[in-house]
Amino acid sequence: MTPDIRIIDVDADGRWPFQSLESIKKLDLPPRTPVIGPFNSASVNVVAATRGSGKTMFMTEIAQSVSSGEKFCDWTCEQQGKVAFIQLDMPIQAVQKRAMRREWHTDLHYITRWHFQRAGMPTPDIGDPEHHNLIVNALSAYRMVIFDTRRAIQPPGQGAASNMWHPSYWIASAPVRHALADAGVCVVFLDHLNNAGEVKDTKAIEDDADAVITLKDSDKGTSDLCFHIEMSKDRDNIGEECYFEFDGDKWHQFTDVSMKQAVANYRTNHTVRETAEQFGIGERTVKNWVREVNAARRADDQAWEAERIREATGRLTG
């Protein structure tokens, strides 16, 4: 339904599409409601991490959960539906190799440059106004759309002003993002962090995106693929801080307090496996945390013993 937009004059030279707040109250807008974790319907999101940190694997699992309606770790899927994953950052062989490790839901739809080339179709350019309607029509029926990476759906070899990393290109592609969000789609762009650990073109993105989610590498777990979720915009969306770890077979989610709780649980006559299952973490993580706590205790005991020796020596020499 087209809203009744009442135009208010602002000057003699032109009109801006202002509305009264009473008119805004009556707009028929798609609801912004939770899909899974910090991701909402009718929103534009940027997920950023360092190259090779596992953000594509992470978002592929999110896509699997939304398409199947299943949980991802502790995140419940609130809205099941089709997911489009536009993967234009990896060769088809790499995608195939990763896909071999498990079964995937049929409502998770994947497309790569190879598919466009085999179909005899040019790769759509999200920054080209002539391609906007094509892209929106192809994607507006999905529950979630993931672009990997932010330069996805852009022909390679473009100059600086038409490069997806450039703020002007991000602005030029805005009509696609906004049209998809207006259709109720949860739109996600994957991005790389710069050398300072920040989202590239941070201000240009934060002014336009509804949520900016950063995956920061962490040594809290025992796997090389472990990161901390940070919300640099829409900070209240995710609740308590959490970590995700992939142990080569399964994803695990845990929080900062889990280390103390898990070790305490293990020490009350629970096995490593029982503790891992109770807290949803890997068995290697439990073992590593127990060793870490034991090492810290030994260090404290040694420091205390050394202090006692110094005091005794001082009394004898005094």
Side-chain angles (χ1 to χ4, degrees):
M1 182 174 68
T2 303
D4 177 21
I5 299 179
R6 300 179 182 276
I7 305 297
I8 302 174
D9 282 327
V10 289
D11 55 46
D13 297 325
R15 297 184 177 193
W16 288 4
F18 280 105
Q19 280 186 278
S20 69
L21 288 176
E22 289 302 315
S23 296
I24 290 176
K25 284 165 59 176
K26 299 174 183 177
L27 289 176
D28 184 15
L29 300 172
R32 181 167 293 174
T33 53
V35 175
I36 189 171
F39 300 98
N40 293 319
S41 60
S43 67
V44 176
N45 309 269
V46 173
V47 176
T50 56
R51 185 180 292 276
S53 62
K55 61 184 176 297
T56 297
M57 292 175 59
F58 177 73
M59 283 309 304
T60 304
E61 292 295 336
I62 296 292
Q64 168 70 8
S65 294
V66 174
S67 62
S68 66
E70 299 172 350
K71 289 182 66 174
F72 172 66
C73 293
D74 293 339
W75 288 356
T76 299
C77 176
E78 306 289 348
Q79 299 184 52
Q80 186 269 339
K82 295 189 300 182
V83 179
F85 203 116
I86 298 92
Q87 171 55 267
L88 305 181
D89 195 46
M90 290 172 58
I92 185 65
Q93 291 86 353
V95 173
Q96 183 185 57
K97 182 178 179 180
R98 289 190 177 185
M100 289 293 188
R101 68 181 182 83
R102 60 166 296 174
E103 297 278 333
W104 302 94
H105 198 276
T106 55
D107 279 344
L108 170 49
H109 297 171
Y110 222 87
I111 195 166
T112 67
R113 293 191 189 277
W114 181 88
H115 292 95
F116 283 113
Q117 293 163 359
R118 281 302 181 97
M121 298 174 61
T123 303
D125 183 354
I126 198 172
D128 186 343
E130 294 185 1
H131 292 200
H132 286 178
N133 286 338
L134 169 69
I135 298 170
V136 171
N137 290 338
L139 300 175
S140 58
Y142 285 90
R143 176 72 65 202
M144 175 182 278
V145 173
I146 302 169
F147 296 98
D148 188 3
T149 60
R150 183 157 58 100
R151 68 172 181 266
I153 304 198
Q154 172 207 359
Q158 298 284 356
S162 59
N163 191 312
M164 195 59 176
W165 304 114
H166 197 276
S168 63
Y169 197 90
W170 176 248
I171 294 170
S173 62
V176 171
R177 300 194 298 277
H178 296 160
L180 290 174
D182 286 346
V185 179
C186 175
V187 185
V188 183
F189 286 88
L190 303 193
D191 200 358
H192 295 132
L193 296 176
N194 60 23
N195 292 335
E198 299 173 342
V199 180
K200 297 182 178 182
D201 310 324
T202 302
K203 294 307 298 180
I205 291 175
E206 286 196 354
D207 288 345
D208 183 72
D210 298 302
V212 179
I213 304 164
T214 306
L215 313 181
K216 293 291 185 70
D217 292 340
S218 172
D219 59 0
K220 290 286 185 180
T222 58
S223 169
D224 291 336
L225 204 168
C226 181
F227 48 74
H228 175 219
I229 301 284
E230 292 184 4
M231 304 290 294
S232 56
K233 186 175 182 182
D234 198 16
R235 294 176 179 83
D236 296 331
N237 196 353
I238 200 170
E240 66 179 356
E241 292 185 349
C242 65
Y243 298 80
F244 284 93
E245 178 182 31
F246 183 68
D247 63 10
D249 179 59
K250 185 178 179 181
W251 284 90
H252 305 281
Q253 181 179 353
F254 58 93
T255 65
D256 266 335
V257 298
S258 294
M259 179 174 176
K260 296 177 182 178
Q261 292 175 340
V263 173
N265 181 274
Y266 170 75
R267 285 178 171 162
T268 54
N269 298 320
H270 288 84
T271 66
V272 169
R273 176 172 292 181
E274 290 170 343
T275 302
E277 290 176 350
Q278 179 172 338
F279 290 92
I281 55 181
E283 292 184 25
R284 286 190 301 168
T285 299
V286 176
K287 294 176 182 177
N288 185 66
W289 285 351
V290 171
R291 284 195 297 268
E292 186 175 334
V293 171
N294 288 341
R297 283 193 171 186
R298 284 195 297 271
D300 290 341
D301 290 344
Q302 290 170 358
W304 180 76
E305 185 65 25
E307 182 62 26
R308 285 187 60 193
I309 293 173
R310 282 194 296 270
E311 289 177 355
T313 303
R315 287 195 297 269
L316 291 173
T317 58

